[in-house]
Amino acid sequence: MDPKQMRKVWIASLVGSSIEWFDYFLYGTVAALVFNQLFFVTEEPTVGLLLSYASFALAFFIRPFGGIIFSHIGDRIGRKKTLVITLSLMGVATFGMGLLPTYQAIGVWAPILLITLRLIQGLGIGGEWGGALLLAVEYAPKEKRGLYGAIPQMGVTIGMVMGTVALSIMTLLPEGSFMTWGWRVPFIMSALLVIFGLWIRKGIEETPSFKRVQKSGEIPKLPIADTLKYHWKEVIIAVGAKVVETAPFYIFGTFVVSYATAELGFSRTAVLNTVMVATIITTILIPIMGSLSDKIGRKKIYVAGTIGMILFAFPYFWMLQQQSLVLLVVATVVGLGIIWAPITAVLGTMFSEIFDAKVRYTGITLGYQIGAALAGGTAPLVATSLMLQFDGSYVPVAFYIIFTAVISLLAIWAVKDRSQQNLDDVTTIQDDTAVTKTAKKELSKV
C-alpha cells in the first residue's frame, strides 16, 4: 500500500476511535460531577453517586450485545461499513444527552431517557473497537503490526484527554452556570467531531484480510456460532487478559475524580488536570510500547505492565492519602501514564493474532467487550462500594486491583507469542489442526 493510503487508514482508525471514546468518557466524568445531582436525585448524596455510577456501568453490560451485532456485520459485510454505523450511533446518543431536560424539569423521565441514550452509546462502542483495531492491524506489515495495532489504542487516551480538556474549561465557569448549561457544551459540540470522523472513514477501502476472505467465499453465515464453537478458548483468554487493562484504568481515571474531590479535599480542576497529564503521557508511550513489542514480543510487554500494576496498587492509594497535589500527580502519572501504557498498547494486537480472519472481528470483540463489562464499568461502582463497606479504607480497593492483575496473568499464561507470524497464517494453523484431528478420527476407525 502506498504511504498516502496508509496515512488515511491510520487517521480513520485513530480519529474515529478518539471521537467515540471522547463521547464515552465524557459521560463517565460528568456522571461523577453532575448527573448524581441533576438526573439521579436522592436525599442521600452517596446513593445518588452510586446510581450515577450504575448508569455508567450499564453501558458496559450492553457493549457485548453491540459487539455481537456489529462484529456480525463486520465479519459479513466488512469493517469499513460497520465503523460508519457505530460512529453515527455514538454521535446521535451523545448529542442527545446535551439536550436532555433534568429531573427537576420532567421528573423520572430524565434518568430514563439518559439511561436509554447511554445504552445506545454502549451498543455503538461495542462494535467500534474491534473494527478500528482491525482497520489498522489487517493493513499492517508483519514487522510493524504492534505499532499499527497500538494506534487505535491511542484513541482511548486521546478521547479521554479531549473530554478532560473540554470539562476543565467548563469547570472554570461559576458553579451555577456549569451545573445549568456548562456541562452540556462538550456533548453538543461532539456533533462536529462525528461529522469529521464520518468523512474520514468514508474515504478508505476495505481491509486486505477481509477482501481475501470475500474472495475465497469463506465468509461465515453466523460468525458468533463459529467463534463459540471453534474459538471459545481464545475468547476466554481474551476476556481474562482484558480485566487488568480495564478495571485499574477506570479507577485511575474515573473513580479518582469523585474520591479525590469528595474524600480527600482536592479541587475538581486539579484532579481533572492531573488525569489529563497522565493520559497525555500514556498516549505518547502507547506507540512506543507497541513498536517495542515488534522487537521483543507482545507477551513480555504485557506481563511487565501487569506485574507493575500489582506492585503499585498500595503505593498508589498511599500517595493519594497524603493529600499532596504533587503526590496526586505522581501517583496518577505512574499508574495511568506509565504502568498502564504497555498493557493497553499490545492488548488489541495480541487478540487479533489468536483469531482466524473469518471470525476475527467477532472473536476480538467478544473477548474485549465481555472483559470490559465484567471489570470496566463496574470498577468505579465496586471501588465506591468497598470504600463504604470498609469505612473509607482504601485497602480493599488496592487488593481489588491486584486481583484483576492476577486473573490476567493466569489468562495470558498459555498464549503463544505470534508477533513474528503472518496474520493470515492463523487461518492455516487452525485449518491444519482441524485436518489433523479429522485424520486421526479416520485412522482410529481403521
Side-chain angles (χ1 to χ4, degrees):
M1 178 186 291
D2 65 276
K4 185 178 179 181
Q5 178 68 12
M6 196 65 242
R7 281 195 297 271
K8 287 178 71 176
V9 170
W10 283 356
I11 293 171
S13 177
L14 179 61
V15 169
S17 181
S18 300
I19 292 169
E20 299 230 18
W21 286 105
F22 165 77
D23 291 351
Y24 210 65
F25 286 127
L26 200 58
Y27 187 102
T29 306
V30 173
L33 301 176
V34 176
F35 291 161
N36 58 321
Q37 299 179 52
L38 298 184
F39 289 89
F40 302 99
V41 180
T42 65
E43 292 182 4
E44 176 56 54
T46 305
V47 174
L49 181 61
L50 284 171
L51 289 173
S52 188
Y53 274 148
S55 72
F56 178 72
L58 269 178
F60 283 81
F61 290 102
I62 201 69
R63 276 167 62 170
F65 297 100
I68 291 169
I69 294 167
F70 292 112
S71 61
H72 174 86
I73 297 170
D75 277 330
R76 291 280 299 164
I77 69 171
R79 314 338 187 183
K80 174 187 170 180
K81 293 177 182 177
T82 308
L83 288 172
V84 170
I85 298 171
T86 57
L87 184 58
S88 301
L89 269 182
M90 285 288 293
V92 169
T94 307
F95 182 77
M97 287 178 185
L99 300 178
L100 275 183
T102 64
Y103 181 89
Q104 289 80 3
I106 60 171
V108 72
W109 281 105
I112 291 174
L113 291 173
L114 181 65
I115 289 172
T116 301
L117 292 176
R118 179 61 175 167
L119 293 178
I120 293 173
Q121 268 193 339
L123 287 173
I125 201 68
E128 161 64 23
W129 178 83
L133 176 76
L134 293 185
L135 195 64
V137 169
E138 291 186 342
Y139 268 113
K142 179 183 70 175
E143 66 276 7
K144 292 186 178 179
R145 200 158 59 231
L147 172 61
Y148 283 37
I151 288 173
Q153 295 299 89
M154 294 168 64
V156 178
T157 51
I158 289 173
M160 190 172 182
V161 169
M162 293 192 321
T164 304
V165 168
L167 281 176
S168 293
I169 293 171
M170 291 298 104
T171 55
L172 297 176
L173 292 168
E175 181 72 13
S177 299
F178 175 74
M179 295 300 291
T180 304
W181 58 268
W183 67 269
R184 297 177 182 273
V185 174
F187 285 87
I188 294 172
M189 294 298 292
S190 70
L192 299 176
L193 297 174
V194 170
I195 292 169
F196 175 71
L198 290 172
W199 175 70
I200 288 288
R201 284 186 169 177
K202 284 190 175 181
I204 57 172
E205 298 178 4
E206 192 50 77
T207 71
S209 289
F210 183 76
K211 285 181 178 179
R212 280 190 283 271
V213 173
Q214 270 187 321
K215 190 175 180 180
S216 70
E218 295 181 341
I219 294 177
K221 291 183 178 180
L222 195 60
I224 182 69
D226 285 5
T227 303
L228 295 177
K229 185 175 181 180
Y230 301 112
H231 303 274
W232 60 270
K233 290 181 181 178
E234 288 89 343
V235 171
I236 291 174
I237 288 169
V239 170
K242 172 66 177 169
V243 170
V244 74
E245 189 259 1
T246 192
F249 176 81
Y250 284 102
I251 289 175
F252 294 157
T254 301
F255 167 73
V256 72
V257 176
S258 61
Y259 176 62
T261 54
E263 302 296 330
L264 303 179
F266 291 99
S267 70
R268 277 190 314 216
T269 304
V271 179
L272 290 173
N273 287 341
T274 299
V275 171
M276 181 178 64
V277 170
T279 49
I280 290 172
I281 291 172
T282 203
T283 303
I284 295 169
L285 286 179
I286 284 172
I288 296 172
M289 293 294 121
S291 182
L292 184 61
S293 77
D294 286 321
K295 298 178 177 64
I296 68 173
R298 325 277 183 236
K299 191 170 179 178
K300 290 179 182 177
I301 297 290
Y302 177 91
V303 169
T306 305
I307 291 174
M309 197 67 74
I310 292 173
L311 297 176
F312 189 64
F314 276 95
Y316 170 74
F317 282 102
W318 179 86
M319 283 190 273
L320 293 184
Q321 286 289 320
Q322 306 313 303
Q323 297 179 303
S324 162
L325 181 58
V326 173
L327 288 179
L328 171 69
V329 173
V330 172
T332 308
V333 166
V334 172
L336 181 58
I338 298 174
I339 295 175
W340 184 76
I343 299 172
T344 195
V346 303
L347 192 75
T349 309
M350 196 162 58
F351 285 4
S352 69
E353 290 171 339
I354 64 175
F355 286 100
D356 187 317
K358 295 190 289 290
V359 295
R360 186 171 290 140
Y361 202 143
T362 301
I364 65 172
T365 299
L366 273 180
Y368 189 92
Q369 301 302 350
I370 293 173
L374 294 175
T378 57
L381 191 60
V382 168
T384 303
S385 299
L386 287 173
M387 286 277 188
L388 280 173
Q389 188 173 350
F390 291 91
D391 299 321
S393 173
Y394 67 80
V395 172
V397 185
F399 274 122
Y400 172 64
I401 293 175
I402 293 171
F403 175 67
T404 64
V406 170
I407 288 175
S408 293
L409 283 177
L410 292 174
I412 210 70
W413 190 263
V415 172
K416 180 182 177 182
D417 198 308
R418 290 173 174 168
S419 55
Q420 302 306 312
Q421 177 185 315
N422 290 323
L423 196 59
D424 288 331
D425 287 348
V426 175
T427 305
T428 305
I429 288 170
Q430 289 164 349
D431 287 347
D432 287 346
T433 303
V435 169
T436 302
K437 289 179 179 177
T438 303
K440 285 180 179 178
K441 287 180 181 178
E442 295 299 322
L443 285 171
S444 66
K445 291 177 182 177
V446 176

